Amino acid sequence: MDAKKIREDFPVLQREISGKPIVYFDNACMTLKPRQVIQAMNEYYENYSACVGRSIHKLGNEATEKYENARKTIAKFIGAKKEKEVIFTRNTTEGINLLANSLNLQKGDIVLASDREHNSNLIPWQILGKKKGIERRIVKSKPDETFDIEGFKNMMSKDVKVVSIIHSSNLDGYTLPIKEIVDIAKDNKALVILDAAQSVPHKEVNVRKLGVDFLAFSGHKMLGPTGTGVLYGRYDLLENLNPFMVGGDTVERTTYDSFRLLPPPEKFEAGLQNYASMIGLAEAVRYLDRVGRENIEKHEKELSRFITGEMQGMDGLKIIGVQDPELRGGIISFEIDGIEYHDVAIMLDDQANVMVRSGQHCVHSWFNARNIPGSVRASLYLYNTKEDAETFIEALKTITKLR
Amino acid sequence: MSICVAALVVFAFMGVFSARYRYWAKEAFDCVGRRVTLRPCKTEFNQKVRAKITSKLLKKSQKAARFTHKHFEAISWVFTIILFVSLILTAGGLYNLFTYGTCDPAQPDSCIFTVQEGVCAPACMPCNCGPHEIGCDAPEYKACNGNCQCVCESMGSVTS
Ligand SMILES: Cc1ncc(COP(=O)(O)O)c(C=O)c1O
């Protein structure tokens, strides 16, 4: 995999700011878009920007074909059995909210999660707890911040109806042992929802091999257009779920007093959709397939290993969360003693155009439980190079001199 | 807090000339608005200014950067006080100028804006503005496309 060659496809990376190239290390939040994705979207707007699935004219047919092809491409990408298991959403958050509102959970049902869930996989269940009286249980991490599989096993019971859990954490990049988690959940007949926002873009994820029932991810974190997401669901489960938003395109027929819903995925996709962006997302998927996700994972790990090694020699710098770069993938979260995380982020940007994220990364619960005010997060992707990593380290070395 | 107020004044002024500073002025305004209503500064404006200044200094002198970073709040208070004292003095000077014709009524000579009484036009000295020079009605009077002013003599002193 040639990251330097890959960079040529990304218009943003051709920019210089104040005469310096951009070092984009905020990929856990939003990735940059290659030319191919932008072109695919433009093509929709320029050549066939019509309604999908309703209009039977030529442009409508063309748009429908491209849109449904996009669904097929994405289904294949995650190893779904059929494309009808792929629901288009705006993002991971919408996918999880859809499930929280559609699964018919009752008072006393238990939803289990890890202690490092993104707010998207925390608040929907908290609200459901208030509205319907479902119970929530949190599996605490081990002292080294890895997942406590024994603790999880002990917390499982027949009352646990849903395990809604993160795959790779956006706070430190740690990937949970999801196969074991699924096996234990299945033994107890619990449904498994996987928040795969940080895993699908970076590594091979196959829903059937993992055995998950539902899986949500965002397109904008994997070279796709903004405001795109996917919710995968096992077809037999989707068939029995009630949609949480309804309207145009979700029904077969209505009378003044009744309606008949369409089968999945249509019944979950209410109203006109973001066609151009989904077609763009399929192009992003093809791009990632061409590069190969195993190559991306390997590349990120290499960079992460290099950065971690360099950081270990820096006075006052502490990596937070799981320490071993082999378990962490392409995310490095850290704090510098005596310098606030936002200051570090602003200075990295100012000194060397190194763009990172600072704060609590929407995992406030984890930070607050540990009394950590926040961290600086560098998150890598396929277009980052060793030179990027060196620039980052050099800038960090300068900043640590402030201590 | 102090830096928000000082920055608001400074950036609002600089914003008249450049859109870049208008962005900062807007952030400062937002920050001040939040502070006076006892809400935290959403934009972390103080922090942005502190980090930007420290970062610039870091390229020149580590010592100065470290000092600024450590004592930023105190330094920004000093600048805020200086700014407000200058603003008050300027306002007083302007009031005097419009009311008494001099910014310092006690010592009018020390104020360069002190208005001198006198008749300009007939006593004008010729301007030397090269090819753009044009003639006026009075033979001694010359103006140069508005680019240079007539110099006139009155009451023994030269004013413009
Ligand atoms: C692990 C994880 N889950 C969920 C989300 C929410 O994603 P989105 O904002 O695209 O819905 C994020 C976003 O950063 C994330 O990292």
Side-chain angles (χ1 to χ4, degrees):
Chain A
M1 196 190 110
D2 185 353
K4 283 197 183 131
K5 188 99 191 58
I6 285 171
R7 288 173 79 86
E8 290 169 10
D9 290 331
F10 290 79
V12 174
L13 294 175
Q14 311 314 312
R15 280 187 69 187
E16 288 198 342
I17 301 177
S18 310
K20 283 180 248 165
I22 290 169
V23 178
Y24 190 77
F25 277 0
D26 193 14
N27 295 292
C29 187
M30 170 74 72
T31 57
L32 306 175
K33 323 298 171 205
R35 224 167 246 122
Q36 291 83 339
V37 168
I38 300 165
Q39 268 164 11
M41 289 174 70
N42 282 346
E43 228 171 78
Y44 169 84
Y45 287 120
E46 286 174 5
N47 294 333
Y48 56 93
S49 56
C51 268
V52 164
R54 312 179 177 203
S55 316
I56 50 168
H57 48 71
K58 292 187 192 72
L59 288 189
N61 290 341
E62 204 173 333
T64 305
E65 193 192 325
K66 297 265 189 197
Y67 189 64
E68 289 312 325
N69 270 343
R71 203 188 295 278
K72 264 188 214 151
T73 305
I74 293 163
K76 194 161 158 258
F77 183 68
I78 55 169
K81 205 164 169 185
K82 41 183 158 185
E83 69 260 27
K84 293 200 174 303
E85 294 179 323
V86 165
I87 300 165
F88 287 138
T89 61
R90 281 182 304 148
N91 44 40
T92 308
T93 307
E94 185 179 312
I96 297 172
N97 271 277
L98 189 155
L99 290 173
N101 286 281
S102 301
L103 289 168
N104 196 17
L105 294 178
Q106 304 297 332
K107 188 172 165 48
D109 288 348
I110 298 172
V111 176
L112 236 157
S114 78
D115 63 354
R116 50 170 65 231
E117 298 304 328
H118 189 280
N119 286 336
S120 309
N121 193 26
L122 175 73
I123 308 169
W125 306 110
Q126 288 178 337
I127 290 182
L128 212 57
K130 289 220 170 85
K131 266 208 303 217
K132 283 191 157 184
I134 64 143
E135 266 182 53
R136 293 170 38 253
R137 300 234 175 109
I138 307 278
V139 184
K140 293 228 171 72
S141 298
K142 290 197 282 192
D144 65 355
E145 296 297 354
T146 56
F147 187 72
D148 184 0
I149 198 84
E150 283 308 313
F152 172 68
K153 212 186 270 180
N154 295 336
M155 286 170 88
M156 280 305 294
S157 73
K158 297 289 173 226
D159 288 331
V160 176
K161 293 289 185 275
V162 173
V163 175
S164 187
I165 206 156
I166 197 163
H167 192 188
S168 295
S169 167
N170 64 316
L171 82 91
D172 60 358
Y174 170 63
T175 296
L176 278 68
I178 208 65
K179 190 75 191 88
E180 287 170 80
I181 292 171
V182 170
D183 288 345
I184 295 166
K186 292 288 142 194
D187 287 346
N188 289 275
K189 304 211 162 24
L191 293 172
V192 178
I193 301 172
L194 197 59
D195 171 354
Q198 298 297 344
S199 58
V200 166
H202 303 275
K203 51 167 62 90
E204 202 68 54
V205 174
N206 184 304
V207 287
R208 273 187 291 169
K209 280 189 194 155
L210 288 177
V212 294
D213 300 300
F214 300 100
L215 174 138
F217 61 95
S218 301
H220 36 254
K221 296 183 196 293
M222 46 183 278
L223 312 183
T226 57
T228 55
V230 168
L231 174 66
Y232 156 84
R234 241 177 53 208
Y235 195 75
D236 56 319
L237 295 171
L238 290 180
E239 270 184 313
N240 293 317
L241 281 191
N242 281 322
F244 115 95
M245 245 202 281
V246 280
D249 264 358
T250 58
V251 282
E252 216 170 85
R253 64 178 246 120
T254 57
T255 66
Y256 287 123
D257 303 312
S258 66
F259 62 90
R260 193 186 305 145
L261 288 169
L262 279 164
E266 283 87 359
K267 71 172 173 179
F268 296 105
E269 294 174 358
L272 286 187
Q273 300 289 302
N274 195 353
Y275 306 130
S277 295
M278 290 309 175
I279 290 164
L281 177 57
E283 197 54 48
V285 160
R286 282 189 277 273
Y287 192 100
L288 291 174
D289 266 344
R290 279 196 297 276
V291 178
R293 273 177 293 170
E294 16 10 288
N295 294 331
I296 296 172
E297 189 181 4
K298 197 165 141 243
H299 173 71
E300 288 174 11
K301 273 215 171 117
E302 258 166 39
L303 287 181
S304 175
R305 224 176 279 133
F306 169 74
I307 292 172
T308 306
E310 292 290 316
M311 279 180 165
Q312 268 152 8
M314 285 189 208
D315 207 21
L317 190 147
K318 195 173 129 217
I319 291 176
I320 67 157
V322 172
Q323 298 294 305
D324 185 354
E326 300 308 316
L327 298 175
R328 260 197 285 112
I331 293 182
I332 307 117
S333 244
F334 61 96
E335 48 186 4
I336 301 176
D337 191 25
I339 312 175
E340 267 192 58
Y341 44 91
H342 285 318
D343 282 4
V344 177
I346 296 167
M347 285 191 256
L348 282 170
D349 186 26
D350 191 67
Q351 300 259 320
N353 288 340
V354 177
M355 296 165 190
V356 293
R357 172 97 180 259
S358 50
Q360 296 192 331
H361 322 299
C362 294
V363 200
H364 301 78
S365 49
W366 186 90
F367 281 91
N368 292 336
R370 286 158 182 76
N371 273 328
I372 304 175
S375 75
V376 184
R377 181 184 72 187
S379 49
L380 318 171
Y381 211 16
L382 71 171
Y383 38 65
N384 292 128
T385 57
K386 179 97 184 284
E387 285 77 14
D388 284 351
E390 283 165 353
T391 306
F392 171 57
I393 290 296
E394 278 316 304
L396 264 186
K397 279 182 184 160
T398 311
I399 292 167
T400 49
K401 286 182 187 143
L402 269 183
R403 293 182 63 244
Chain B
M1 167 68 179
S2 60
I3 194 68
C4 296
V5 182
L8 176 60
V9 178
V10 173
F11 288 133
F13 178 71
M14 289 165 83
V16 174
F17 306 103
S18 159
R20 188 150 78 103
Y21 296 113
R22 256 168 257 155
Y23 164 79
W24 283 99
K26 198 180 148 291
E27 283 222 13
F29 181 74
D30 182 31
C31 180
V32 172
R34 290 187 147 258
R35 285 295 165 107
V36 295
T37 48
L38 300 178
R39 289 172 298 164
C41 213
K42 186 182 77 184
T43 51
E44 285 126 13
F45 181 77
N46 311 15
Q47 203 150 21
K48 276 190 192 167
V49 174
R50 179 178 67 186
K52 286 246 172 206
I53 293 174
T54 311
S55 178
K56 298 269 182 287
L57 283 173
L58 208 46
K59 290 174 197 158
K60 305 226 153 42
S61 153
Q62 269 171 40
K63 261 192 185 161
R66 204 178 300 136
F67 181 83
T68 311
H69 190 254
K70 277 218 171 90
H71 305 289
F72 188 76
E73 190 65 22
I75 295 170
S76 58
W77 271 114
V78 170
F79 276 101
T80 308
I81 291 164
I82 292 173
L83 176 80
F84 278 101
V85 170
S86 340
L87 281 179
I88 290 164
L89 292 178
T90 309
L94 282 174
Y95 173 79
N96 285 334
L97 188 63
F98 286 112
T99 314
Y100 307 111
T102 174
C103 34
D104 188 354
Q107 280 180 292
D109 283 350
S110 68
C111 173
I112 57 161
F113 298 112
T114 299
V115 177
Q116 302 284 340
E117 305 276 328
V119 188
C120 275
C124 264
M125 308 250 293
C127 302
N128 185 13
C129 305
H132 303 295
E133 219 167 75
I134 52 158
C136 295
D137 290 342
E140 313 86 330
Y141 185 93
K142 288 190 176 172
C144 313
N145 281 338
N147 290 334
C148 77
Q149 280 183 303
C150 265
V151 178
C152 60
E153 274 179 331
S154 81
M155 297 189 303
S157 63
V158 177
T159 59
S160 60

